[in-house]
Amino acid sequence: MTAPPVDAAPGGQARSAPLIGRDAEPTIFEMSVPGRRAWSFPRTELPEWSAEELVPGAYLRPELLDLPEVSERDLVGHMTRLTHRQYSVDLGAYPLGSCTMKYNPKACDEAAGLPGLAGIHPSAPASLTQGWLELLWRLGDILCEITGMSAVTLQPPAGAAGELTGLLLMRAWHQAQGQGHRHKVLIPDSAHGTNPASVTLSGYDTVTIPTDHRGLLDMAALADRLDGAVAGIMLTNPNTLGLFEEDIVQIAQAVHRAGGLVYYDGANLNAILGVTRPGDMGFDIVHLNLHKTFAVPHGGGGPGAGPVAVSPRLAEFLPGPIPTRMDGGGFDWVTPPRSIGRVHSWHGNALALARAYTYILLNGGDGLRRVAEGAVLNARWLRQRLEGTYDSPFERPNLHEFVVSTATLKRKRGLRALDVAKRLLEEGFHAPTVYFPLIVAEALMIEPTETESPQTLEALASALLRIAKEDGEEAGKAPRTTPVGRVDEARAARRLIPTWDARERPIS
Amino acid sequence: MTAPPVDAAPGGQARSAPLIGRDAEPTIFEMSVPGRRAWSFPRTELPEWSAEELVPGAYLRPELLDLPEVSERDLVGHMTRLTHRQYSVDLGAYPLGSCTMKYNPKACDEAAGLPGLAGIHPSAPASLTQGWLELLWRLGDILCEITGMSAVTLQPPAGAAGELTGLLLMRAWHQAQGQGHRHKVLIPDSAHGTNPASVTLSGYDTVTIPTDHRGLLDMAALADRLDGAVAGIMLTNPNTLGLFEEDIVQIAQAVHRAGGLVYYDGANLNAILGVTRPGDMGFDIVHLNLHKTFAVPHGGGGPGAGPVAVSPRLAEFLPGPIPTRMDGGGFDWVTPPRSIGRVHSWHGNALALARAYTYILLNGGDGLRRVAEGAVLNARWLRQRLEGTYDSPFERPNLHEFVVSTATLKRKRGLRALDVAKRLLEEGFHAPTVYFPLIVAEALMIEPTETESPQTLEALASALLRIAKEDGEEAGKAPRTTPVGRVDEARAARRLIPTWDARERPIS
Amino acid sequence: MGHYVPHTDDELATMLATLGLTSLDELFDCIPAALRLAGGLELADGLSEPDTLAAVAELAGRNHGGLVCFAGAGAYDHGVPAAARALPFRSEFVTAYTPYQPEVAQGVLQALFEYQTMVARLAGLPIANASLYDGAAATVEAVNLASAATGRDTVWVSGGLHPHWRAALATFAAGSGHELVDIALRDGRTGWPEAGSGEKGVPGALVVASPNYLGCLEDLPAARSAADANGARLVVAADPVSAGLLRSPGSQGADVVVGEGQPFGTPLSFGGPYLGLFACRAEHVRRLPGRLVGETVDVEGRRAYVTTLRAREQDIRREKASSNVCTNQTLIAVCCMVQLAWLGTSGLRELALRCARGTRYAREALLAIPGVEPLVDAPVLREFAVRLPVDPVTVIERMAEEGFLAGVPVGLTDGVACDEGDGRNGLLVAVTERRTRAQIDAYAAALEKVMV
Amino acid sequence: MGHYVPHTDDELATMLATLGLTSLDELFDCIPAALRLAGGLELADGLSEPDTLAAVAELAGRNHGGLVCFAGAGAYDHGVPAAARALPFRSEFVTAYTPYQPEVAQGVLQALFEYQTMVARLAGLPIANASLYDGAAATVEAVNLASAATGRDTVWVSGGLHPHWRAALATFAAGSGHELVDIALRDGRTGWPEAGSGEKGVPGALVVASPNYLGCLEDLPAARSAADANGARLVVAADPVSAGLLRSPGSQGADVVVGEGQPFGTPLSFGGPYLGLFACRAEHVRRLPGRLVGETVDVEGRRAYVTTLRAREQDIRREKASSNVCTNQTLIAVCCMVQLAWLGTSGLRELALRCARGTRYAREALLAIPGVEPLVDAPVLREFAVRLPVDPVTVIERMAEEGFLAGVPVGLTDGVACDEGDGRNGLLVAVTERRTRAQIDAYAAALEKVMV
Ligand SMILES: Cc1ncc(COP(=O)(O)O)c(C=O)c1O
Ligand SMILES: Cc1ncc(COP(=O)(O)O)c(C=O)c1O
């Protein structure tokens, strides 16, 4: 009796689903068998011209493109098993600071799936897409109210794209004022990496402002660095330590006096919804991360949406076209007179925008304020539970997130922030953000969000307090209950295998 | 510092998802916190009459009904974690004999979700539901062609319901023939338990016919038991050993000669789709399990659909109403003249019927035959791989499933069928059916289905061959990698805890 | 086409060779040649996925799905939140079999355990099973249980029971030998025979629905007395939504409570798959039909769930089983459990209250139309019957043109509710929490219009 | 309403008390009083879930969704099978963050690894990243990379590049200082300047689209020669569907290949979220924008995946990062990966072939209409441009009444494709595998009708 040709990996074996075992899931390439297939196409009754009849020979590829050939059954098995190897908000708490991993209401999934939204071609004329234009216009209007700004572009597809858009607006503004020589943008040392990276891409230079003992922007250093070459300052408020920059009005005034503009990184907007507004603080440009504040799910890394709202004087520079209510009540696309141009192929991540709009309708003005209250209450309470066990580098009351440090624990028992993070995975929670902001050694940046209950917070606190009693060597073995154990990151970089095809010959 | 009131179990802790750990998932009741809520209702602008204004006081409940009070977030977390504790076809192979756990195409999910099907009230008049009536009528027609019968009821919601319906048809027929005294139904000893149970419910008595050395119905015993009191015989063909009853024509003729009817249990229809038909074999009544043969997913135990098709002479007894094409081409509900009556609140498990219809359209006549070929080929091949290692109680070639036994392995090394089943779970496969049919000791009943690839079969075979080398004591510790280990079934029956409320005081 | 058979031609050939065969046809050599289909099935060839879905969508498009629904009669147009539409349909629930291997089925088992708990609470009884097919099937099983418990075949069936459920009782009585005796409604509620009158025989079981088919709340204590007077078991078919406001049947003496679970998380679905709710007193647990999940522990002492008291079931007890049910409605039970958890204590009450408010408002609006009269006059909760001056069948057709599914025609023959006309032109109208004042006003206006 | 904040009033009170606070307002005491909003936001109060969904559905209903789509221009109406609609939207993929903790993110990481492999094969290059925002963003990043690699700011941009992508290049050039030089089309294909002519400066990068915006297949070897003549890097923006039939850009000398991944598994979505495809030669890996997943092992030697070469990225390298991208389009990349696996080798070829057949058939049908002429005349694959006798904007509006989205107006100014009218009345027409002969015939007939 001979075995059949079974060169491919089995598709129907769930040994890699953690429910069952801890094997590696084969790649879809290993499951491939030449000639197997899942596809089917509709009947068209079109003439069956051959490739050679349709395309000049010089263009035709000499051999077929190699893709995995699998059955639908094996594809479904593969992807389903992969989901059993993936943590997510829907499985448990995700207190990843700066990322605002709140619960994403299922109603928003339904809204984004409506054929009247998802099935619309982006080039269809405004007359055929009045629903979409109105939705986007309404959303823009709401975002202006929430931020205290007066005009908005919904094109930027993520926060970083919003930053760059905002900085190009800053540049366009200065150029229009005959201030094209300005080339410096001030950024606190606690800022997220996208801020300086965006500054560079906008053709500006980053000037770093230190954080003072309060955990706030060092006002003296700011005064020191403010000069006629400053195009503006980028801040998030509350800052990445979760602390409110209480000098914000003075900061804005000082920068404005120096001829600069004030940019708001909206990553932390969740903390202040309905409580205070960047526009009222003196900001000129605001980007929002709808995937943080407005519950667009993160999708394993994206897509998000990063609208940019501006004060009146910057409105004419916004990217276009912009959905606009016309006289007569209809909607049309209008490009601002001095627009910096497009920043997206079409109209931004439209379905993500529709999700955020749905989320805002669900919550309303009253609900959004409750979001901020819940977010701050949860973070404040959790921080208090950890006090005395983890180092608290700054004393001020935090808003929606806070940073603690294992510096003392590391000194005493070798327990690093990374170990705490990996141990927490074993306890059924995602890890906090670690080693950010850079100004705090062994930082754990914790953002519980408003959607976690007190019971979950207490369980998280207990786990963190329990872990703090362990020593680094033992904790260093974590995580042991996850689909894979600690991963060799150095090897990944050294023997670079970015594709299945590179396995035989790693790059670099 | 005091902790908050955290009497409830945490909702955002994934420690019970096998991805993360092996804790028990709290019940939704433990997660409940009075006053928490997920619900919201639409605005209606109706007068807000109080309960007391609406219902006489004597009817009103004195206290609120206690249900869990959880946030949507915690509900989502709970259910998502439960799914990570559950095996399914979408995770891996499920060679559960008799159950036909084939892959359920995703297209059928979409069909069943169409608002034009799922949103229709069952009492809406035929004039408003022509699409549904035509779909059901077409499906009935197709099922008649597949089974070789001439009329069908789609009402029975599962196989067992189909059996009872079929037996009541048998009874009605005999009564109409003045043969109301007949009271015996013959059933092979290899039959599924629903068969004798249905016989009892139909008011008949079960007479068991043994299986002979071939694994087929013992013809001598049949002849012996055939008399004027026999109402009919119930058979599945291929039988539950996966063997084709080659004497089926003679069996049918003998029973007919004795004045009985011949009933086909369609659980094993997958084996013969497009190859042979119960009607052609001489069966009078056929039930189908659309959840086995036609890819309606099993849903963790249901719903299914169990239509019953009959030969012409039984058509007038079918349950009604039946979707019928009228003169003029429209469809209407028609109840057969001597109908036994309704067997379902409405029209059967309609969305399950729509799924099966979709599956049949996808496959077509050609595809259904390939289904049978694939199912038989896979089973035959797998059986051959196991030969010499597991006992094969019968020699005949099997069709879509086969039964092996660990009787020898048990004698030699204490390895029971149950141990093999539990060990297989660790290997990433669902277990086969065990200890059925009852006539084979230490039976493993294996049905790979046509949707598993040769690679998966080989992996399954390897696992089974590997396990067969182990001894019972070691294998008895399995499964060790599952969310829970071997479960104490005896205790469950002894200290009966069928609800959360019975925990404090188990029943019995 | 055979879209879902993965084997390539090469693989088929090799596998056949391994078996010593040269063609797929030979796989079927064990089937007598005379039985083998020569030409194959007379069915169209397989279609592509998009063509198939287009064909089904075309049929779906020929149903009138957009009507504002005032039909009930056991199938209600309640809202299902997005969470309850998504969670039960995760593929682990959808594509699992019956939890025969509890170690890899804790997801389904725990969901069923939670479902059983909720159903038991709704019923006010200690035991609930893991689902039956639908309300009709649950009623049939309840009668089987009650009759077996008393050893008596006579069953008194209230005239207020859903006519389809009554029909199913009659169908299956042909096998069980139960004798069904109709007990007529008086003013919309069951008129139980006087104790000791003996006029209707001595029943082993009484079956009553509350709210009944005409929407009226039954006097359950009276039903309990009638049962007691006969030493019979009382089966109550309850609308589970009413549990938000009304005393539970269990607390009023029901031995078995059954119901249709569709209102909790299942769309109208043209009548199925729905959900048979079944709960009973502890003493009946060994006669319980269907599967029962119980809590236990695993080898390491961890909490675990398993199907239990399996000896009742057909696969073990065979012809002596308490029921023949095997495949049930597990997935729909999971939908129900999720919906009930989403509602919670306050939500269930609010739901029932909102239905009752809409019902009151609609009833008043309809009765204000000249010629529309109450069919019966007893307290109602979420459904009511009126008598129209014209044929309701025609009214329903014409109301559809106005955008409404107006209700369900209802009759009352010798005190027994039925769905055929009886000359009284009854229309049964249900109002769920989804119906707004504006919809009800428009409905009443349209009704007045189409009747002239 | 605040539907999604779970705290009960009791819990809020206790938590506040623990913090020594007496009101929620006090949580914000660290915010200067003058900045605190007195009256709250001027927004409506929250709605229930059903009211919200009804409001959004009402807006959605005001888009004309049912049109038979002949529009393309970078957004294509391809079929997405049910499996590819379901699998990527399992909540583990949807609600995960960027895989910062690889031990609990192997699902996303492995899917991205498989995605990268497929994109690299489509491009014919060894490295692909884990996605960028869209085709425009990928083109911008490619130019950044090429310019950094050569140290030269001049960029030759083919007149056949998507006008929106060209616009985005121009927007971001304001920051990067790149000098974009348009290279006009001649007969639908890029007319690269003669080697050594020096007329357009010395570019560090060439950007060419193939098929280009007008649907024409570009001569990539010629583009490669033009790049070589200037020591420049060649960026090719490719329609990934064409990979089913055409030689890969990488095999024809592209240094960087970018594209719009929407055709694989993403619905039209009014333009987003879409998917920026990005692949490059190995030598550029340290300048690669965005995330890169690599295979490695865990402590026990098991195969594992992790984001790698993180030192390029903004969170580590900050102002010196090769790009600022952080959140990308991971979920859309998973959709793409699933769709490509569903297609497989033969399916991708079949898809491209079917598009090409429909395109040929439609082009012939349109050109048979009196007054309709080719806009340019070069080989096409799945999209083509015609010149109408009347204004295409009006034609599109009128065709909508006939049930068609007729295409996208296209212009050609000084050899540069644009989406404004240029008096030439261009209409860009795309034909996917979903379009049937009957639809194309009806489309051509309608077009003829509306133009008279
Ligand atoms: C403070 C801060 N700024 C900016 C960003 C960048 O936003 P995005 O990832 O949407 O590009 C982030 C994202 O993590 C952030 O936390
Ligand atoms: C041989 C056989 N007959 C009958 C049945 C009963 O079918 P159902 O579970 O649909 O009631 C089964 C189900 O397992 C079966 O395998």
Side-chain angles (χ1 to χ4, degrees), chain B residues 153-438:
Chain B
T153 172
L154 302 173
Q155 278 186 26
E163 292 171 20
L164 181 48
T165 303
L167 288 161
L168 292 175
L169 288 167
M170 193 183 280
R171 173 176 274 282
W173 159 261
H174 284 303
Q175 230 126 27
Q177 311 307 309
Q179 296 283 311
H181 59 274
R182 290 179 181 260
H183 65 99
K184 295 197 270 186
V185 175
L186 311 181
I187 295 191
D189 57 1
S190 62
H192 192 260
T194 49
N195 292 184
S198 299
V199 167
T200 302
L201 285 170
S202 70
Y204 283 140
D205 301 320
T206 297
V207 175
T208 304
I209 312 275
T211 298
D212 67 14
H213 65 281
R214 303 171 300 170
L216 305 182
L217 193 78
D218 184 325
M219 294 298 286
L222 172 67
D224 202 50
R225 296 187 185 34
L226 264 180
D227 60 30
V230 167
I233 188 168
M234 280 184 101
L235 285 176
T236 172
N237 194 13
N239 65 24
T240 61
L241 297 161
L243 308 178
F244 194 85
E245 298 282 358
E246 66 175 24
D247 305 321
I248 188 61
V249 174
Q250 294 83 316
I251 295 170
Q253 284 169 351
V255 174
H256 284 154
R257 257 196 316 270
L261 295 178
V262 189
Y263 182 100
Y264 184 83
D265 173 342
N268 294 339
L269 191 69
N270 211 47
I272 58 166
L273 287 171
V275 176
T276 178
R277 311 190 302 174
D280 302 341
M281 301 175 205
F283 284 94
D284 303 284
I285 308 170
V286 174
H287 92 250
L288 299 95
N289 299 63
L290 302 189
H291 43 302
K292 300 183 195 284
T293 314
F294 298 102
V296 174
H298 284 76
V308 173
V310 294
S311 59
R313 57 184 171 156
L314 288 161
E316 61 179 336
F317 299 97
L318 282 176
I322 291 177
T324 309
R325 170 161 242 157
M326 312 304 284
D327 299 340
F331 294 86
D332 206 349
W333 294 108
V334 175
T335 297
R338 304 169 84 176
S339 174
I340 59 167
R342 279 190 171 277
V343 298
H344 188 263
S345 295
W346 298 101
H347 318 303
N349 280 342
L351 291 182
L353 299 168
R355 283 176 179 272
Y357 179 66
T358 306
Y359 176 79
I360 292 170
L361 284 196
L362 282 164
N363 280 282
D366 53 340
L368 291 179
R369 162 125 191 161
R370 251 194 96 183
V371 163
E373 291 167 352
V376 174
L377 180 63
N378 274 0
R380 198 76 71 81
W381 184 90
L382 186 57
R383 177 176 168 194
Q384 179 164 320
R385 283 283 279 135
L386 302 183
E387 220 145 68
T389 303
Y390 289 87
D391 301 340
S392 218
F394 301 101
E395 271 180 22
R396 306 176 67 74
N398 59 283
L399 287 176
H400 69 304
E401 66 188 1
F402 61 97
V403 175
V404 292
S405 157
T406 68
T408 306
L409 295 170
K410 184 176 170 196
R411 199 163 359 93
K412 282 203 208 149
R413 288 201 300 284
L415 194 68
R416 297 171 302 161
L418 187 73
D419 301 323
V420 174
K422 300 298 182 193
R423 271 287 289 116
L424 209 50
L425 300 179
E426 293 184 334
E427 298 283 333
F429 296 104
H430 198 276
T433 297
V434 286
Y435 302 108
F436 178 74
L438 307 177

Side-chain angles (χ1 to χ4, degrees), chain C residues 225-271:
Chain C
S225 304
D228 285 341
N230 290 281
R233 297 291 180 272
L234 177 62
V235 175
V236 177
D239 175 353
V241 168
S242 71
L245 283 177
L246 304 189
R247 287 173 190 277
S248 71
S251 73
Q252 295 176 86
D255 294 286
V256 185
V257 174
V258 297
E260 174 49 66
Q262 176 273 336
F264 295 134
T266 290
L268 290 165
S269 313
F270 206 49

Side-chain angles (χ1 to χ4, degrees), chain A residues 5-11 29-34 36 69, chain B residues 454-456, chain C residues 11:
Chain A
V6 285
D7 306 338
F29 307 104
E30 291 164 280
M31 291 164 62
S32 174
V33 171
R36 195 169 286 168
E69 298 183 274
Chain B
Q455 289 72 27
T456 296
Chain C
E11 289 175 336

